[in-house]
Amino acid sequence: MQPMSLLITTCVLFVGSHLVLSHPLRAPLADRLGERGFQIVYSVVALATFIMLVQAWRGMPAEPPLWAVGDPLWAFATLIVLFASVLFAGSLVGNPALPSPAAALTAQGAPRGVYAVTRHPMMWSFALWALAHVLVVPTAAQIVLSATIAFLALVGSAGQDVKKARLMGDAWRHWAARTSFVPFARQVSGQTPWGDTIPRDRALFGGIALWLVATWGHGALGYMAAGIWRWLG
């Protein structure tokens, strides 16, 4: 199989297994295996398909970039990753979308910080991470990989809306009515003040720390220098 064909195949397996196990097969498998047994199966399949995807991506031959990448584009991508890091850090606390016995109670709170930006800050952080990588690594292989990650994140978010509405009922529907799927949609439409989107301390400082460590590790692990380290190195 040609390297690109292999990459596309593993991407389809990675996304397809996630979507199938998260939705149509989740209930019957959980009934048969128990919730813990299902989580083990889900994790094993996710890890196996992810390893296959990474190996296929690493096996791609060198490709010429599709466009020139200079400092302005690197700076823009760096800011996108910083914003994505803040979204991710903020999504770890007080997130009704995460599995938690207190999810319904959490959903009663006023959306502030990253949740005023979008009700799926974690998933959008993955999609924005993918976008940033395409901007500075404009190759066919990177576009396929990033498109896979962004597709899984955003389609998964839409599926999560449906699942949460079924599991949490009015609690989730009220939360969804006070938040937006698309970042900043409520602010642009005038429904929510921009000041509500100011990140909380844990999101802001946690996101900055994550951004600094992740971009430093990018170069430390032998990949191209990223973030501010690109200019400080």
Side-chain angles (χ1 to χ4, degrees):
M1 185 178 291
Q2 294 296 317
M4 179 57 77
S5 298
L6 180 60
L7 177 62
I8 293 173
T9 299
T10 56
C11 285
V12 171
L13 287 174
F14 180 65
V15 172
S17 61
H18 271 71
L19 296 180
V20 169
L21 288 174
S22 295
H23 299 288
L25 292 184
R26 181 183 178 90
L29 285 178
D31 289 342
R32 175 170 295 187
L33 303 175
E35 188 61 32
R36 182 175 177 80
F38 170 78
Q39 290 297 335
I40 292 174
V41 170
Y42 184 93
S43 299
V44 169
V45 172
L47 180 61
T49 54
F50 179 72
I51 291 174
M52 292 168 60
L53 172 57
V54 171
Q55 291 301 318
W57 183 71
R58 287 180 174 175
M60 287 294 298
E63 301 173 278
L66 299 175
W67 57 79
V69 180
D71 282 348
L73 196 54
W74 264 103
F76 181 55
T78 296
L79 291 176
I80 290 176
V81 173
L82 173 58
F83 177 57
S85 298
V86 172
L87 288 180
F88 182 83
S91 74
L92 299 177
V93 178
N95 190 348
L98 295 179
S100 168
L105 180 61
T106 302
Q108 296 176 16
R112 293 289 187 272
V114 298
Y115 302 110
V117 176
T118 172
R119 64 177 166 273
H120 293 294
M122 181 179 290
M123 296 302 190
W124 273 100
S125 73
F126 297 148
L128 291 171
W129 172 91
L131 170 62
H133 279 71
V134 167
L135 291 178
V136 296
V137 187
T139 63
Q142 185 62 57
I143 290 172
V144 169
L145 176 62
S146 291
T148 297
I149 293 170
F151 177 85
L152 181 59
L154 299 183
V155 172
S157 296
Q160 193 173 53
D161 277 343
V162 175
K163 182 172 68 176
K164 283 290 185 176
R166 184 178 68 251
L167 295 176
M168 293 171 56
D170 287 343
W172 181 262
R173 282 188 282 271
H174 291 159
W175 174 254
R178 292 178 290 125
T179 57
S180 64
F181 184 92
V182 177
F184 299 113
R186 290 182 64 85
Q187 288 72 37
V188 172
S189 65
Q191 296 175 280
T192 303
W194 286 92
D196 287 358
T197 65
I198 297 174
R200 304 291 179 87
D201 288 350
R202 59 176 175 266
L204 179 60
F205 296 113
I208 292 173
L210 173 62
W211 172 67
L212 289 172
V213 171
T215 52
W216 173 83
H218 210 278
L221 292 175
Y223 299 99
M224 64 179 67
I228 61 172
W229 312 106
R230 183 171 182 84
W231 294 280
L232 295 179

